[in-house]
C-alpha cells in the first residue's frame, strides 16, 4: 500500500485539478487515449470500437433489425422454427420461431437498459454509503463494511437469483424484468462502490484541504459533497466499465437460469441461450452461437476499455512513451491504495496484493 | 518506480531483518489476527443467512409460493399453519437460526427430501466439478500469465491478454455450449452431458461406502473403463468452468510478475549479473504467486456461481443443477438451503485463505 501513497505524495501533494489538461482533452477516456501508446492504445481503441458498435446498435435497433424481436410471421406466413440461416433469416430462426438476427440486435437494447439502470442505482447507493461510512467512521462504518464484505464474497449469481425470486414473482414484462435484473445486479455492485469510495474518503479526510475547510467552518455536508465527493469518485469510471460487463454476464446468467425476460416482452441473450441448449445436442448451432457471440463481444469491448483504463492508471503497468514524458499524470490517475480495480475481483484484496 | 521498492523489500525479507522486539510484536499480531479473523466467520454467515431469510420471506411463505393456486384456499391455509408459517416472522426466524445451528435445514417441499441429505449428496458432485475446474485454471492460467509477463508488450503478450479477456468475457454456459457443439456433437470425441454413462453410474452408486465423488469412487472400484468414463465426462465441464478462472489467474500473474520484475531487489539482482531467465524464475515469479492465494478466496464465489451455470449446461447433477430444478418447482425452502450452504462454504474458504495469506505474507496481519 505504500506504493500508491508515496506515488500520490510525490509531486507535491497538490489536489491534481490544477494541472489537469483543460477542455475536451481532459475528458476521462480521451485523456487516457492520448496517454496510451502501442499495444495499450490498440487494446483501448479496440475496446472503444466494440463498445461504440454496441451503443449504436442499441440506439438504432429498430432500423437495423429486419423484424421485431417478438415477430413470428410476416406477409409470407410463419417463419418456422429452427430454420437454418437463409437469405430471409440471415442467422436462422430459434426453436420458438423468432428471427435470430433480430433478437440479437434487439438484445443490445435490453442489455443497455440493464447496464444503465444497474450502474446508476449502484453508484447512487454505493457512493452515498461509502461517503457516509468513510467520513463519519464509527460503528456505522464497521457494520457497513462487514455487511459489504459478506455480500461481496458471496456468489453474485446466487444473490441475484434470490433477489430475482423476490422481485420476479410472476413479473416478466419488459420493465419488470429489466428492473428485477438491474436490482439483482445492484445488490452485487453496491459493496464494491462502497468499499472504493470509503477507502478514498478515509484517505481524503486526512488531507490538509479538508482540514482547512473544517477550520473555516464548512458543514459536514458541504465538505462531503464539495471536497470529498469530487476527489473520492475519480476512479469510478474505471470500475463502471468493468461492472458494466459484469452486469451483462449476470443478466445473461439470470436469463439462462430462467429468470429472464419473456421473449414477447424483450429480446434477452441469456434467455435465448437457455432455449438453444437442447438445439446444440441435435447439431443446431445458429441459435446458440450468435446470441453468445453478442455477449462475448460486448463484454469484451467493455472489459478492454476498463482494463486499458486501469493499466494506464497504474504506473507499474503503463507502457511509457519514449522520450520526456509527463510524470505528473501518474499521481492524478492512480489514487486508490493497492489499485483496487487491478482486477474487478481484486477489490478488497489491496491489503495483501503484491 | 522507486515507490515500489520500499513495499516489496518490506514484504519478503522484513521478518528476518526486523529487530527482535518487532518480531515478537508480530507473532502476537498473528495470534490475535487469526482469532479475530476466525470470529469474523460468524457475523459473515449470520448476515448472509439473515439477508437470504428476509429476502425469501418478503414474497410470503414457501408453501403458498410452491403450491398456491394448485390447492383450495382452506387446504393451503391448513398446510401453512401446520408448518408454522402463520406465526410471527421473528419467531420463525429465531426457530430457523436454531435449526441451522443444529445442522437441520428442514425438508424440501417439492420432493420431501431432507435438505441436509440433499446438500451432502449433490454437494459432492459440485465439489468434484469445482476441483477439476481449479486444476484447469492453475494449469492454464499460471504458466501463461508468467509467459505474458516475460514477453511483455510483444505480440504473444497481446494474444495472451486478449485470451484472458476472452476467458472472462465468455459466459460459462456459452463456452460450455460451444465445447459441446464442437467436441461432443460434431467431433463426437467426448460425451454430451452427465457425470458418467448410465452403466458406470449404477456401478459407482452401488459400491459400498461411495463418497459421491465419482473419481474417488471409480479409483476405489479399480475398473479402468469406469475411471476413463468418469474422466471423459469431466473434461468439457471442467474446461468450460476452469477457463473462466484461468483468465483471472493469467491476468493476475502477469500483472504481479511485471510488478516484481520492476522492483528494487530484482533490479539489484540484475545488476549483480543474474540472467534474465533466472530473474524471472527465482526472483520475480514466486512472490508474484502470493496474491493468487488471496484471490482464490474470491474465485470460490465465482466458481460456485459458475458451477450453477455449468451444471445446467452439462446436466452435471450437482447443487447448481438441483438449484435450478428447485427454482422451477418454486421450492424456496430447498433453494434457501443451498444458498445458506454456499454462504457457509464461502465464509470458511475465505477464512482458510486469509490464514494461509497471513502465514505467507507478514504484512497481511496488520
Amino acid at each position: 500500500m505504500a506504493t500508491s501513497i508515496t506515488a500520490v505524495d510525490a509531486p507535491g501533494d497538490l489536489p491534481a485539478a490544477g494541472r489537469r489538461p483543460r477542455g475536451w482533452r481532459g475528458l476521462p477516456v480521451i485523456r487516457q487515449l492520448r496517454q496510451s501508446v502501442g499495444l495499450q492504445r490498440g487494446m483501448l481503441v479496440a475496446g472503444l470500437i466494440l463498445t461504440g458498435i454496441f451503443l449504436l446498435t442499441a440506439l438504432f435497433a429498430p432500423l437495423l433489425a429486419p423484424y421485431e424481436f417478438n415477430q413470428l410471421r410476416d406477409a409470407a406466413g410463419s417463419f418456422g422454427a429452427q430454420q437454418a440461416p437463409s437469405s430471409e433469416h440471415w442467422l436462422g430462426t430459434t426453436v420458438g420461431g423468432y428471427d435470430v438476427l433480430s433478437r440479437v440486435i434487439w438484445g443490445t437494447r435490453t442489455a443497455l437498459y440493464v447496464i444503465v439502470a444497474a450502474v446508476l442505482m449502484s453508484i447512487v447507493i454505493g457512493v452515498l454509503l461509502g461517503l457516509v461510512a468513510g467520513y463519519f467512521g464509527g460503528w456505522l462504518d464497521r457494520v457497513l463494511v462487514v455487511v459489504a464484505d459478506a455480500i461481496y464474497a458471496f456468489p453474485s449469481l446466487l444473490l441475484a437469483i434470490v433477489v430475482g425470486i423476490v422481485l420476479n414473482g410472476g413479473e416478466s414484462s419488459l420493465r419488470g424484468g429489466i428492473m428485477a435484473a438491474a436490482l439483482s445486479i445492484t445488490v452485487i455492485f453496491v459493496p464494491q462502490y462502497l468499499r472504493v469510495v470509503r477507502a478514498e474518503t478515509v484517505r481524503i479526510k486526512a488531507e490538509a484541504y479538508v482540514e482547512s475547510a473544517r477550520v473555516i467552518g464548512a458543514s459536514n455536508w458541504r465538505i462531503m459533497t464539495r471536497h470529498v465527493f469530487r476527489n473520492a469518485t475519480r476512479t469510478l469510471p474505471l470500475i463502471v466499465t468493468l461492472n458494466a460487463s459484469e452486469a451483462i454476464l449476470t443478466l445473461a446468467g439470470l436469463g439462462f437460469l430462467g429468470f429472464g425476460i419473456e421473449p414477447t416482452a424483450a429480446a434477452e441473450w441469456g434467455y435465448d441461450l437457455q432455449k438453444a441448449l437442447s438445439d446444440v445436442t441435435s447439431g443446431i448451432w445458429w441459435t446458440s452461437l450468435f446470441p453468445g457471440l453478442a455477449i462475448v463481444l460486448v463484454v469484451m469491448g467493455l472489459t478492454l476499455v476498463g482494463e486499458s483504463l486501469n493499466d494506464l492508471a497504474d504506473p507499474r503497468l503503463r507502457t511509457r512513451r519514449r522520450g520526456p514524458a509527463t510524470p505528473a499524470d501518474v499521481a492524478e490517475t492512480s489514487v486508490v491504495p493497492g489499485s483496487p480495480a487491478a482486477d474487478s475481483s481484486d477489490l478488497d484484496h489491496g491489503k495483501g496484493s503484491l | 518506480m522507486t515507490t515500489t521498492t520500499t513495499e516489496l523489500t518490506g514484504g519478503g525479507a522484513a521478518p528476518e531483518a526486523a529487530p527482535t522486539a518487532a518480531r515478537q510484536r508480530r507473532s502476537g499480531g498473528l495470534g490475535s489476527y487469526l482469532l479475530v479473523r476466525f470470529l469474523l466467520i460468524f457475523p459473515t454467515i449470520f448476515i448472509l443467512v439473515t439477508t437470504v431469510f428476509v429476502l425469501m420471506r418478503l414474497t410470503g411463505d414457501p408453501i403458498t409460493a410452491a403450491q398456491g393456486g394448485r390447492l383450495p384456499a382452506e387446504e393451503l391455509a391448513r398446510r401453512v399453519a401446520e408448518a408454522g408459517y402463520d406465526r410471527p416472522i421473528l419467531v420463525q426466524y429465531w426457530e430457523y437460526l436454531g435449526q441451522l445451528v443444529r445442522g437441520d435445514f428442514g425438508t424440501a417441499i417439492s420432493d420431501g427430501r431432507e435438505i441436509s441429505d440433499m446438500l451432502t449428496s449433490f454437494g459432492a458432485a459440485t465439489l468434484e466439478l469445482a476441483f477439476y475446474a481449479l486444476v484447469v485454471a492453475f494449469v492454464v492460467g499460471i504458466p501463461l500469465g508468467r509467459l505474458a509477463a516475460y514477453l511483455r508488450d510483444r505480440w504473444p503478450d497481446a494474444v495472451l491478454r486478449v485470451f484472458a479477456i476472452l476467458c472472462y468475457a465468455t459466459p460459462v454456459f456459452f463456452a460450455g455450449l460451444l465445447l459441446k457443439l464442437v467436441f461432443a456433437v460434431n467431433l463426437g470425441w467426448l460425451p454430451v452431458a452427465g457425470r458418467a454413462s448410465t452403466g458406470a453410474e449404477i456401478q459407482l452408486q452401488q459400491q459400498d461406502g461411495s463418497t459421491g465423488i465419482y473419481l474417488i469412487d471409480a479409483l476405489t472400484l479399480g475398473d479402468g473403463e469406469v475411471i476413463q468414463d468418469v474422466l471423459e465426462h469431466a473434461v468439457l465441464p471442467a474446461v468450460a468452468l476452469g477457463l473462466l478462472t484461468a483468465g483471472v489467474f493469467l491476468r493476475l500473474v502477469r500483472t504481479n510478475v511485471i510488478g516484481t520484475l520492476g522492483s528494487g531487489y530484482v533490479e539489484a539482482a540484475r545488476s549483480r549479473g543474474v540472467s534474465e531467465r533466472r530473474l524471472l524464475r527465482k526472483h520475480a515469479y514466486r512472490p508474484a504467486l502470493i496474491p493468487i492465494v488471496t484471490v482464490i478466496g474470491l474465485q470460490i464465489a465465482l466458481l460456485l456461481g459458475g458451477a450453477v451455470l455449468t451444471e445446467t449446461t452439462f446436466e452435471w447433477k450437482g447443487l447448481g443443477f438441483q438449484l435450478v430444478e428447485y427454482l422451477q418447482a418454486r421450492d424456496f425452502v430447498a433453494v434457501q438451503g443451498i444458498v445458506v450452504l454456499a454462504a457457509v462454504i464461502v465464509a470458511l474458504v475465505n477464512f482458510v485463505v486469509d490464514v494461509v495469506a497471513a502465514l505467507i505474507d507478514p504484512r497481511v496481519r496488520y
Side-chain angles (χ1 to χ4, degrees):
Chain A
M1 236 161 272
T3 51
S4 32
I5 294 172
T6 32
V8 169
D9 289 346
D13 201 23
L14 288 169
R19 207 184 284 122
R20 186 176 293 184
R22 295 281 170 189
W24 63 272
R25 289 176 170 182
L27 289 174
V29 174
I30 294 174
R31 194 156 55 89
Q32 271 91 356
L33 191 62
R34 287 165 47 79
Q35 202 180 23
S36 61
V37 287
L39 187 60
Q40 260 170 1
R41 171 171 279 191
M43 286 174 73
L44 180 56
V45 169
L48 286 174
I49 290 174
L50 282 174
T51 312
I53 293 175
F54 164 57
L55 292 176
L56 287 176
T57 312
L59 198 63
F60 296 111
L63 301 177
L64 292 171
Y67 306 99
E68 293 293 311
F69 55 81
N70 56 0
Q71 198 173 338
L72 285 168
R73 55 183 69 249
D74 58 8
S78 175
F79 291 164
Q82 296 178 324
Q83 297 296 311
S86 63
S87 60
E88 257 163 73
H89 301 284
W90 290 359
L91 306 182
T93 61
T94 71
V95 68
Y98 301 109
D99 180 55
V100 174
L101 176 63
S102 305
R103 283 189 67 81
V104 168
I105 291 176
W106 282 101
T108 54
R109 280 212 161 175
T110 316
L112 187 64
Y113 286 145
V114 172
I115 292 179
V116 170
V119 167
L120 276 183
M121 285 192 285
S122 337
I123 287 188
V124 170
I125 302 171
V127 169
L128 196 69
L129 289 179
L131 278 177
V132 169
Y135 190 79
F136 292 111
W139 65 269
L140 180 72
D141 179 33
R142 296 221 184 109
V143 169
L144 279 175
V145 167
V146 170
V147 172
D149 277 359
I151 292 180
Y152 181 58
F154 195 65
S156 51
L157 189 70
L158 290 187
L159 202 62
I161 289 174
V162 172
V163 179
I165 291 177
V166 178
L167 297 166
N168 225 356
E171 269 216 274
S172 50
S173 64
L174 175 63
R175 187 172 297 167
I178 285 178
M179 279 318 278
L183 265 175
S184 319
I185 297 163
T186 304
V187 175
I188 304 163
F189 286 170
V190 164
Q192 302 183 16
Y193 289 90
L194 185 146
R195 290 220 55 140
V196 172
V197 173
R198 179 191 164 276
E200 272 296 270
T201 308
V202 167
R203 189 183 68 77
I204 291 167
K205 203 173 69 172
E207 296 274 346
Y209 59 87
V210 173
E211 198 65 32
S212 350
R214 193 172 290 136
V215 169
I216 295 171
S219 69
N220 280 333
W221 178 250
R222 188 181 161 81
I223 295 176
M224 273 209 295
T225 50
R226 285 267 148 181
H227 301 268
V228 181
F229 175 74
R230 290 288 294 278
N231 285 302
T233 51
R234 250 188 295 162
T235 40
L236 286 190
L238 211 147
I239 305 167
V240 166
T241 45
L242 289 174
N243 275 352
S245 55
E246 222 178 305
I248 294 190
L249 289 176
T250 310
L251 172 71
L254 283 175
F256 186 73
L257 293 178
F259 276 92
I261 302 161
E262 285 293 308
T264 45
E268 201 270 304
W269 298 327
Y271 178 93
D272 288 355
L273 279 170
Q274 186 210 19
K275 293 291 160 206
L277 191 55
S278 49
D279 295 352
V280 166
T281 327
S282 42
I284 295 171
W285 50 271
W286 57 89
T287 48
S288 51
L289 182 66
F290 299 111
L293 273 184
I295 300 175
V296 173
L297 288 177
V298 174
V299 174
M300 224 177 123
L302 290 165
T303 312
L304 278 171
V305 174
E307 278 221 343
S308 311
L309 292 186
N310 178 54
D311 284 4
L312 288 168
D314 189 336
R316 285 175 304 157
L317 295 175
R318 189 168 71 224
T319 317
R320 299 299 172 86
R321 203 189 293 273
R322 298 194 206 299
T326 49
D329 279 3
V330 173
E332 279 180 36
T333 41
S334 156
V335 270
V336 176
S339 172
D343 182 309
S344 59
S345 59
D346 196 24
L347 272 168
D348 63 347
H349 281 262
K351 57 177 183 184
S353 70
L354 232 172
Chain B
M1 286 292 100
T2 45
T3 48
T4 43
T5 320
T6 45
E7 157 133 319
L8 282 164
T9 42
E16 284 74 31
T20 329
R23 199 182 310 161
Q24 276 167 353
R25 205 179 61 231
R26 271 174 200 217
S27 57
L30 179 62
S32 58
Y33 171 80
L34 291 186
L35 183 67
V36 170
R37 188 60 197 78
F38 177 71
L39 293 177
L40 213 62
I41 295 179
F42 299 102
T44 309
I45 296 178
F46 174 75
I47 288 166
L48 287 171
V49 167
T50 309
T51 312
V52 170
F53 183 88
V54 171
L55 285 175
M56 294 295 236
R57 285 311 177 74
L58 281 178
T59 40
D61 71 275
I63 292 188
T64 314
Q67 284 158 340
R70 258 181 280 167
L71 288 175
E74 313 87 70
E75 172 71 10
L76 194 68
R78 196 183 60 76
R79 289 205 190 179
V80 169
E82 212 167 67
Y85 287 124
D86 56 344
R87 292 171 300 162
I89 193 88
L90 273 177
V91 176
Q92 294 183 43
Y93 174 60
W94 186 247
E95 193 188 77
Y96 182 65
L97 284 185
Q99 283 179 348
L100 281 188
V101 171
R102 291 195 302 274
D104 174 13
F105 286 81
T107 318
I109 297 173
S110 53
D111 54 9
R113 253 184 107 164
E114 280 287 320
I115 291 174
S116 48
D117 192 41
M118 180 270 293
L119 291 178
T120 42
S121 60
F122 289 103
T126 305
L127 181 72
E128 192 176 7
L129 176 63
F131 171 74
Y132 292 143
L134 263 184
V135 170
V136 171
F138 276 119
V139 169
V140 175
I142 293 180
L144 290 184
R146 190 176 142 177
L147 186 70
Y150 189 56
L151 299 171
R152 184 186 176 185
D153 291 334
R154 283 191 260 161
W155 69 264
D157 180 30
V159 171
L160 285 172
R161 292 186 72 187
V162 171
F163 171 72
I165 294 176
L166 210 60
C167 285
Y168 168 84
T170 313
V172 276
F173 49 91
F174 180 53
L177 283 174
L178 285 184
L179 288 170
K180 233 167 132 168
L181 201 58
V182 175
F183 294 102
V185 178
N186 283 352
L187 296 173
W189 289 352
L190 292 162
V192 178
R195 291 179 66 196
S197 332
T198 322
E201 201 146 22
I202 292 170
Q203 251 183 306
L204 287 171
Q205 280 168 352
Q206 281 175 344
Q207 194 188 8
D208 286 337
S210 94
T211 55
I213 298 173
Y214 278 11
L215 184 59
I216 295 180
D217 290 349
L219 286 173
T220 47
L221 194 68
D223 185 336
E225 273 179 41
V226 176
I227 296 175
Q228 193 194 346
D229 183 66
V230 167
L231 286 177
E232 274 179 1
H233 278 82
V235 172
L236 293 183
V239 171
L241 185 54
L243 280 184
L244 178 72
T245 310
V248 178
F249 283 178
L250 198 167
R251 236 156 48 166
L252 198 68
V253 170
R254 177 187 176 274
T255 310
N256 287 311
V257 170
I258 287 176
T260 45
L261 271 178
S263 67
Y265 68 89
V266 171
E267 202 58 49
R270 187 177 282 135
S271 65
R272 286 199 304 272
V274 178
S275 74
E276 282 298 317
R277 184 175 290 268
R278 194 180 156 79
L279 273 183
L280 180 73
R281 208 175 53 232
K282 288 278 171 190
H283 298 254
Y285 179 53
R286 294 251 184 95
L289 288 186
I290 295 177
I292 294 276
V293 175
T294 42
V295 169
I296 285 179
L298 288 169
Q299 290 311 305
I300 294 301
L302 196 64
L303 275 178
L304 283 176
V308 175
L309 298 166
T310 314
E311 287 176 7
T312 311
T313 315
F314 288 100
E315 288 165 50
W316 184 276
K317 295 208 169 51
L319 285 178
F321 183 82
Q322 212 53 32
L323 176 73
V324 176
E325 300 262 288
Y326 284 128
L327 278 173
Q328 273 157 8
R330 302 185 69 77
D331 183 346
F332 295 157
V333 178
V335 171
Q336 201 169 340
I338 294 176
V339 175
V340 166
L341 179 73
V344 174
I345 293 174
V346 166
L348 289 179
V349 169
N350 275 314
F351 167 68
V352 172
V353 160
D354 280 359
V355 169
V356 172
L359 293 176
I360 301 176
D361 186 349
R363 281 169 302 159
V364 174
R365 295 169 206 166
Y366 288 100

